[in-house]
Amino acid sequence: MNLDISDKSLPVYEALASSVRHKIIHLLAKRPMNIRELAEAVGLTSAIMTMHIKKLEKAGLISTSMQPGRGGVQKICSLQVEEALILFPGKMEHIREFHQTEVSIGHYTDLQVEPTCGLASPDKFIGELDDPRYFFDPERFQAKILWFNEGFVEYKVPNFLLSTEDPLELVITMEIASEAPLTDNSWPSDISFYLNEVYIGTWTSPGDYGDRRGKYNPAWWPDRINQYGLLKHLTITKEGSFMDGHYLSGVTLNQINVRDKQWTLRMAVEKNAKNIGGMTLYGRGFGNYNQDIVLRLYYDKLVQAAALE
């Protein structure tokens, strides 16, 4: 999260100006919790806790969702931010602004998968496991995790870049892992990335992690299958493409037609790969990072900022 010295950042500063809300953030950093659990942990009534939660949610520091519980529907609170950067004004500076799009795991537009495979929403498995037909079930739009042994999954993404903006780099962030029968922390898989039908490069996932439960997995999720992945950052710049800062290929922003109104993102485990170890994609409510697939396009814009006296 990027903050600055302006009124638009005030909700965040106001939300953080409370020792009670500090405690709430520390609790949610460990795991998602409902209103009653938070109230009991902090020693407040549920009504007062609800007021604190609204403040944090308005600031974008947490998110809430309604999920079924033992006594009916309950509001689950999850931490949304892992870090924040405060940008102070200068006399004249280039501020890297960005357009961001989040793509839900189940909102793919095309795919071809081979078993083992499956998908699930935060509430249940969608269809039968190891049956690719259920990847086209109408409920697949609710999916927040999917996995397959071989094949690809493809997403369409809108591009909001303006003609007056100069693109600097595109960062695609996702929680991803291999797909082994049950789990195996040492199960390499070569996962290839394409953008607008241009091959970006291949990254080898080390394994399908199951040594401990994923931080955000729902309570019903079995212990014996995919638990969490690695948070990977695929970055495409004017100089080339990188995975977590490591050189991946010489493909640049111009080569992927970054100004197209719509992008096509494909992730694949291909038949000719050296390590055909499958792929698991984690979204909100699963794994160790409470996010979907995030695409952030940074662009350059020269702005006049107030000078500090």
Side-chain angles (χ1 to χ4, degrees):
M1 172 180 283
N2 289 332
L3 306 173
D4 58 19
I5 309 302
S6 69
D7 289 349
K8 70 179 183 179
S9 295
L10 277 179
V12 177
Y13 301 137
E14 292 173 355
L16 293 174
S18 164
S19 60
V20 171
R21 291 192 284 275
H22 293 173
K23 294 177 183 177
I24 295 170
I25 290 172
H26 280 286
L27 289 167
L28 294 181
K30 298 177 181 177
R31 65 178 180 89
M33 299 174 69
N34 62 35
I35 297 290
R36 180 183 57 80
E37 290 173 326
L38 287 168
E40 291 177 354
V42 179
L44 298 174
T45 65
S46 293
I48 294 177
M49 178 55 63
T50 298
M51 295 173 59
H52 285 293
I53 291 301
K54 287 181 178 178
K55 198 94 172 179
L56 289 166
E57 188 173 22
K58 180 182 177 182
L61 297 174
I62 70 169
S63 65
T64 62
S65 61
M66 303 305 293
Q67 297 184 18
R70 293 181 180 178
V73 178
Q74 59 181 338
K75 178 176 282 191
I76 301 296
C77 307
S78 302
L79 188 63
Q80 284 291 96
V81 177
E82 292 189 349
E83 61 181 20
L85 175 66
I86 301 176
L87 302 174
F88 283 81
K91 293 183 179 180
M92 177 68 77
E93 61 184 345
H94 280 83
I95 295 180
R96 284 211 325 169
E97 299 187 8
F98 58 86
H99 297 292
Q100 178 169 304
T101 303
E102 293 191 34
V103 183
S104 183
I105 298 300
H107 285 207
Y108 45 82
T109 53
D110 195 12
L111 87 162
Q112 180 179 328
V113 300
E114 298 292 336
T116 54
C117 61
L119 65 169
S121 72
D123 300 324
K124 63 178 182 177
F125 289 114
I126 296 174
E128 300 292 332
L129 300 183
D130 297 332
D131 189 338
R133 293 177 298 177
Y134 286 100
F135 277 75
F136 295 99
D137 189 294
E139 288 191 53
R140 58 98 163 177
F141 289 105
Q142 307 303 318
K144 292 296 185 179
I145 184 173
L146 66 78
W147 62 96
F148 57 86
N149 178 62
E150 181 187 307
F152 71 86
V153 61
E154 192 171 274
Y155 298 88
K156 298 291 187 184
V157 184
N159 177 17
F160 298 106
L161 186 71
L162 301 178
S163 60
T164 56
E165 297 166 349
D166 180 27
L168 298 175
E169 65 179 31
L170 173 63
V171 182
I172 306 172
T173 307
M174 73 222 84
E175 184 173 357
I176 190 169
S178 308
E179 157 52 20
L182 301 180
T183 65
D184 190 334
N185 283 27
S186 299
W187 188 267
S189 184
D190 297 335
I191 300 175
S192 297
F193 297 88
Y194 296 80
L195 195 65
N196 297 335
E197 299 184 358
V198 176
Y199 172 67
I200 305 301
T202 297
W203 166 73
T204 301
S205 167
D208 178 12
Y209 300 99
D211 55 305
R212 60 184 183 276
R213 283 191 65 81
K215 182 177 179 181
Y216 294 102
N217 292 346
W220 65 267
W221 187 250
D223 292 335
R224 57 188 174 82
I225 60 176
N226 322 54
Q227 291 300 315
Y228 65 94
L230 302 175
L231 190 66
K232 306 302 292 183
H233 299 80
L234 173 60
T235 302
I236 306 169
T237 72
K238 294 181 178 181
E239 288 73 42
S241 298
F242 306 84
M243 183 65 82
D244 292 340
H246 298 287
Y247 182 82
L248 194 64
S249 74
V251 175
T252 66
L253 285 176
N254 288 335
Q255 290 174 293
I256 62 168
N257 301 316
V258 71
R259 290 193 175 275
D260 285 358
K261 300 298 183 182
Q262 178 178 267
W263 300 325
T264 301
L265 171 65
R266 175 181 287 204
M267 290 169 274
V269 178
E270 299 177 313
K271 291 183 179 180
N272 60 353
K274 178 181 178 181
N275 300 294
I276 303 177
M279 181 172 71
T280 304
L281 280 174
Y282 295 84
R284 291 189 184 276
F286 285 92
N288 280 351
Y289 302 91
N290 200 33
Q291 67 162 67
D292 292 313
I293 302 168
V294 178
L295 295 94
R296 180 177 287 187
L297 179 63
Y298 290 91
Y299 60 90
D300 205 8
K301 186 175 181 182
L302 189 65
V303 299
Q304 179 73 45
L308 284 175
E309 299 296 334

